[in-house]
Amino acid sequence: NNNNNNKDERSVYHSSKEYQSFRSSISQKKVIVQHEDGEKVWRLYDYGPREVKCPLLFLPPVSGSADVFYKQMMSLGSFGIRCIAVDSPVYWTHESWCEGLLRLIDTMCLDKVHIMGASLGGFLAQKFAEYTEKDRRVKSLLLVNAFTDTTVFVNMPALALIKLMPTFMIRRSILANYPDGALEPEIANSVDFMVERLAAMDSAVLTSRYYLNALPGYVQPQAIASQNMSVMVFEVMDHCCLSDAVKLEMNKYYPNARMAQLKDGGNFPYLSRAEEVNMFIKVHLQQFAKTRFSAMDDFETSAVEDASTAAEK
């Protein structure tokens, strides 16, 4: 049995001080969300000032658990930004997933959220912004290797088959999209870490995420355009799993988006190019500083200061 031998051979990131510090200092929370047909458990990491009601939410790709964003959590959380990385339970439609996230946000008493989503997480972030168009629960979007239409994945198995596929086959088909051959060391480390996360993932959750990735669905651009929200699109210039056509489609959807360009970084730049990515996130969130949509706890104080300077005048 190979698994036992691999226990000692953790990936470079898994063995790193930063990841170990993340695991020891930020405990995984379980939040129970009530649905008509029972309750579901969302798992998440929540780090940074609890007073913040408009935090930065992270949504992982199909193959990753919430801790793939540990480099953002540690750096931005310590900087004073409230970061919440979430792992969704099993849902079988984009709509029920969005309803679940809405109930999670309500259960956690959050006002609005900034969402950074990677791949499927980026697609679902857009679907959620569309789903909450009337209530405007999404203040801004940061999209990494995201897409606007699930039908771009032409070689996905039939939906009916996915629920019957053994987990190892789903893992194998996800791994087929990962780069192989010689990779720059940090990119290689990011791939190793993702492979490890994929192996550790709950099989029911993995199956349902893979299903959501194959389920036909697209984002309605007008639903997001009408909300006038700030969008940042991360563009990784080197080889990544998305075709140029998909990237062009993203740019067409968001003509006013700020482009965060990384000359390389592969499929998982939030791991392989974390410092650059974190800098872009800070720049993006800066526009909300000292407003009630700030992801930092800087609103009250500035409001009080403004009032006192106004009184002096």
Side-chain angles (χ1 to χ4, degrees):
N1 182 352
N2 288 340
N3 288 358
N4 296 341
N5 311 342
N6 293 345
K7 284 283 180 282
D8 313 322
E9 297 174 28
R10 294 292 193 194
S11 68
V12 172
Y13 285 166
H14 195 289
S15 317
S16 70
K17 273 204 182 76
E18 190 179 14
Y19 183 71
Q20 294 307 323
S21 152
F22 165 77
R23 291 306 298 255
S24 57
S25 56
I26 308 173
S27 56
Q28 189 192 57
K29 288 201 179 65
K30 294 177 184 174
V31 178
I32 294 173
V33 171
Q34 302 295 340
H35 283 275
E36 277 73 21
D37 56 350
E39 51 185 46
K40 289 188 182 276
V41 179
W42 288 65
R43 294 164 198 275
L44 52 89
Y45 299 97
D46 184 354
Y47 186 48
R50 292 290 179 275
E51 302 75 28
V52 172
K53 294 296 174 226
C54 191
L56 174 57
L57 209 65
F58 292 92
L59 301 177
V62 170
S63 54
S65 38
D67 57 353
V68 302
F69 295 110
Y70 78 92
K71 293 188 176 195
Q72 283 65 50
M73 301 284 294
M74 292 302 281
S75 165
L76 302 171
S78 309
F79 182 69
I81 294 169
R82 185 177 182 187
C83 299
I84 303 175
V86 303
D87 265 324
S88 51
V90 173
Y91 290 100
W92 297 106
T93 67
H94 300 139
E95 193 177 13
S96 62
W97 185 94
C98 288
E99 181 58 31
L101 182 60
L102 180 58
R103 293 180 183 214
L104 174 75
I105 287 175
D106 286 341
T107 305
M108 294 182 73
C109 302
L110 302 176
D111 176 17
K112 294 182 192 293
V113 286
H114 304 278
I115 306 182
M116 177 161 174
S119 312
L120 174 67
F123 173 75
L124 291 171
Q126 297 168 82
K127 288 303 282 181
F128 184 68
E130 177 189 296
Y131 188 77
T132 57
E133 182 186 5
K134 292 198 171 49
D135 310 326
R136 309 226 162 169
R137 301 302 291 273
V138 179
K139 192 61 194 164
S140 74
L141 289 170
L142 299 104
L143 304 170
V144 184
N145 287 339
F147 46 89
T148 54
D149 189 338
T150 56
T151 55
V152 300
F153 299 101
V154 281
N155 52 0
M156 290 292 263
L159 284 175
L161 282 178
I162 292 178
K163 290 188 179 184
L164 305 174
M165 281 168 76
T167 317
F168 80 87
M169 280 181 71
I170 294 181
R171 288 204 176 99
R172 188 181 291 168
S173 64
I174 291 173
L175 290 172
N177 292 316
Y178 284 14
D180 48 11
L183 296 171
E184 182 271 345
E186 286 300 311
I187 296 178
N189 289 341
S190 74
V191 172
D192 288 348
F193 186 71
M194 293 301 286
V195 169
E196 217 171 43
R197 301 300 84 200
L198 177 60
M201 238 170 120
D202 175 79
S203 54
V205 169
L206 178 62
T207 302
S208 77
R209 283 210 205 154
Y210 191 64
Y211 188 88
L212 291 180
N213 210 125
L215 187 66
Y218 63 92
V219 178
Q220 295 176 325
Q222 65 283 7
I224 294 181
S226 70
Q227 300 182 57
N228 209 354
M229 71 175 65
S230 173
V231 179
M232 178 174 268
V233 175
F234 284 81
E235 222 187 7
V236 186
M237 308 312 253
D238 66 346
H239 165 81
C240 88
C241 54
L242 294 179
S243 67
D244 290 339
V246 175
K247 292 180 186 174
L248 277 173
E249 192 62 20
M250 283 294 292
N251 300 350
K252 240 190 329 199
Y253 260 63
Y254 303 111
N256 304 322
R258 296 172 84 168
M259 301 304 290
Q261 290 188 329
L262 303 162
K263 70 175 198 298
D264 54 18
N267 291 343
F268 317 113
Y270 37 90
L271 285 163
S272 61
R273 297 290 180 267
E275 276 181 30
E276 281 177 80
V277 168
N278 293 349
M279 182 196 69
F280 278 122
I281 295 172
K282 282 183 189 172
V283 168
H284 171 82
L285 291 174
Q286 187 56 43
Q287 62 191 306
F288 306 104
K290 294 185 164 52
T291 72
R292 68 189 187 91
F293 305 120
S294 177
M296 299 178 75
D297 187 23
D298 56 8
F299 176 50
E300 295 303 317
T301 52
S302 64
V304 173
E305 283 162 16
D306 291 351
S308 61
T309 45
E312 282 163 21
K313 285 175 186 164

